[in-house]
Amino acid sequence: MNRKIWFWPVYLFLLLAVALAGTEFVASFLVPSWPARDLRPISAEALGRNVATFFAKTPELIPHYNDWAVRDRPRSFARPTDIRFRSVLVGDSFLEGYYLPSPISELIERRWAEKGRADTEAINLGIAATGPRQYYYRIKDVALRLHPDAIVVFVYAGNDFIPTRLGDFAIPALVEERPVPSILGTVAPRTDWLAVNRLGLSEVGRGNKDIPGEFALLNEWAEQPSAERTERVARHMKTYYFPKTSEDTIREILSRGGERFRAAVAQRSVDREFVAGWLLSGLIDWETGQWEVPRDAKDADRLVDATLVDQTLSWLVGAEQLATAHGIKLFVALAPVGIVDPDYVEFWRPWPRYFSYTLTSDARHKRLAAELRRRGLQVIDLRQDLDGARGSYRLTDGHWTELGTEIVADRVSRALLTSPVAAGKRERAD
């Protein structure tokens, strides 16, 4: 009787183990090698095809990715013999810089070389559509294995505040975007990557609707606005995003800015701007919303959720503890929202509710900066460098322009090169 009771559980367990072993074997032929699979939920080849869409008119500007699926030159885990100071940059699309001629890591290394410091490295681990949870595990599972002298984690006030706290008990998800732990990822990491990839379970997969023809439709309207094109875009947004909102309401919201979008997409030839579905859906959602929004900076500070700031802080403190335990200096570079760019502020003036999110994000930025300093973490507050710099932010998606990236590269390169850890490395070498 006892044997019969145990037979089926044991049989099912063995069947599951064999099935997982089989899928893991098959996945080994389909999934990128490590560390690429722990850095990005899509392959470098697929990413290249997606990014190429934005550069149909300027194919020479298509960014290139290395075999780790990051926008950087080829790197190795073993430190090159001629490198005395090695740093790793961890962050999101601000580091990846889809639309820029050069990512920030390249600009930093270029500045160091100009100062005669060719013996330094700035490795780029910037992955779009990721946040503090991914930053923490990216540092733990990848960056630490590079044995750097310093790690700089970039935190963007616009979307890097998360409602989860490091250390709180939570049952791991069955499947999760790597390198965040999951049940399947623990026993079958390649199968986990494949499931996330095929099912669109990553943050970038969940955050973007794949609607045929949408990109062309929206950008034709932005480049050559007309009553007919506005009508078509309003109908499109109602069909795919806001079925309960009238076309008249959507049309009125889209028409407020006159030809602002046209001016935005036409103003630069290098880091060109585009209009995406997520941008217009967010704009319409906020402008039709009924929730309370701040009217000014003072109001925004009053409405800041202190718990959200504290939860986000926990991941950065945890990352600092990881780094310190391995003898590595961690810097937190705080990237402000576009409120520091007067051109950005003027662009969004016709949509006050949507812009109110920028006010809220800036208030969170200031709170987080104060808390980080209070905890003794090394902060590089980029708000100080970007404040008042016209043309430093892309008007549509709020990322740094080529100018903004140059400003940030100047600040970060100086902060690292003049830090005690870099100075100590140079003294020992001399």
Side-chain angles (χ1 to χ4, degrees), residues 137-303:
Y137 289 109
R138 195 179 308 155
I139 290 170
K140 181 180 180 182
D141 296 346
V142 181
L144 292 181
R145 299 193 188 190
L146 288 161
H147 303 290
D149 302 296
I151 296 173
V152 186
V153 56
F154 286 72
V155 180
Y156 173 53
N159 59 13
D160 272 349
F161 286 86
I162 55 174
T164 58
R165 188 189 310 274
L166 176 64
D168 284 357
F169 174 77
I171 298 174
L174 176 61
V175 179
E176 181 65 85
E177 176 181 359
R178 300 191 62 77
V180 177
S182 67
I183 295 173
L184 183 60
T186 300
V187 295
R190 296 176 182 83
T191 305
D192 179 69
W193 186 95
L194 200 61
V196 170
N197 177 267
R198 296 294 190 267
L199 299 176
L201 300 178
S202 64
E203 287 194 27
V204 67
R206 292 192 299 264
N208 295 277
K209 289 188 176 184
D210 186 14
I211 303 173
E214 179 180 75
F215 182 81
L217 170 67
L218 300 186
N219 285 280
E220 284 173 6
W221 164 73
E223 291 171 6
Q224 298 178 335
S226 66
E228 180 185 353
R229 284 197 171 97
T230 301
E231 193 73 34
R232 288 172 58 198
V233 171
R235 191 178 309 119
H236 172 87
M237 298 306 294
K238 177 177 175 61
T239 300
Y240 291 101
Y241 294 91
F242 301 98
K244 296 181 180 180
T245 305
S246 72
E247 281 189 35
D248 288 342
T249 298
I250 295 174
R251 190 185 310 109
E252 185 276 325
I253 293 170
L254 297 177
S255 300
R256 285 184 204 168
E259 295 198 354
R260 288 173 187 248
F261 281 105
R262 180 180 184 180
V265 300
Q267 66 177 339
R268 293 186 306 278
S269 59
V270 178
D271 55 332
R272 289 191 61 210
E273 303 219 25
F274 303 95
V275 176
W278 65 262
L279 173 66
L280 294 189
S281 66
L283 174 62
I284 295 165
D285 186 38
W286 277 81
E287 290 300 314
T288 56
Q290 300 298 315
W291 57 89
E292 183 182 9
V293 298
R295 295 162 297 177
D296 52 35
K298 184 177 180 180
D299 212 17
D301 185 66
R302 176 181 64 84
L303 293 173

Side-chain angles (χ1 to χ4, degrees), residues 320-369:
E320 198 268 343
Q321 291 170 346
L322 278 177
T324 300
H326 288 78
I328 300 166
K329 183 64 178 178
L330 184 117
F331 298 78
V332 180
L334 295 180
V337 286
I339 198 169
V340 294
D341 181 350
D343 291 345
Y344 184 91
V345 175
E346 179 58 32
F347 181 86
W348 290 107
R349 198 174 297 280
W351 300 282
R353 286 188 62 87
Y354 185 74
F355 182 74
S356 71
Y357 183 76
T358 301
L359 292 170
T360 300
S361 298
D362 193 46
R364 290 173 181 164
H365 176 115
K366 294 173 183 176
R367 289 278 190 98
L368 181 60

Side-chain angles (χ1 to χ4, degrees), residues 24-45 66-70 75 77 125 127 141-142 145 178-179 189-191 193-194 197:
E24 192 72 356
F25 175 75
V26 172
S28 67
F29 297 98
L30 303 172
V31 171
S33 59
W34 190 88
R37 67 170 179 266
D38 269 14
L39 291 172
R40 191 183 297 277
I42 60 175
S43 66
E45 293 78 11
N66 64 17
D67 58 349
W68 293 1
V70 294
R75 303 288 186 175
F77 275 89
L125 294 186
I127 306 294
D141 296 346
V142 181
R145 299 193 188 190
R178 300 191 62 77
R190 296 176 182 83
T191 305
W193 186 95
L194 200 61
N197 177 267

Side-chain angles (χ1 to χ4, degrees), residues 97-138:
Y98 282 141
Y99 314 109
L100 300 169
S102 303
I104 191 171
S105 55
E106 181 179 330
L107 298 179
I108 290 172
E109 287 189 342
R110 195 180 300 167
R111 281 157 173 75
W112 287 342
E114 290 170 356
K115 294 180 181 297
R117 293 300 307 272
D119 59 347
T120 55
E121 255 189 329
I123 299 173
N124 190 4
L125 294 186
I127 306 294
T130 55
R133 278 204 316 158
Q134 287 92 347
Y135 303 162
Y136 174 84
Y137 289 109
R138 195 179 308 155

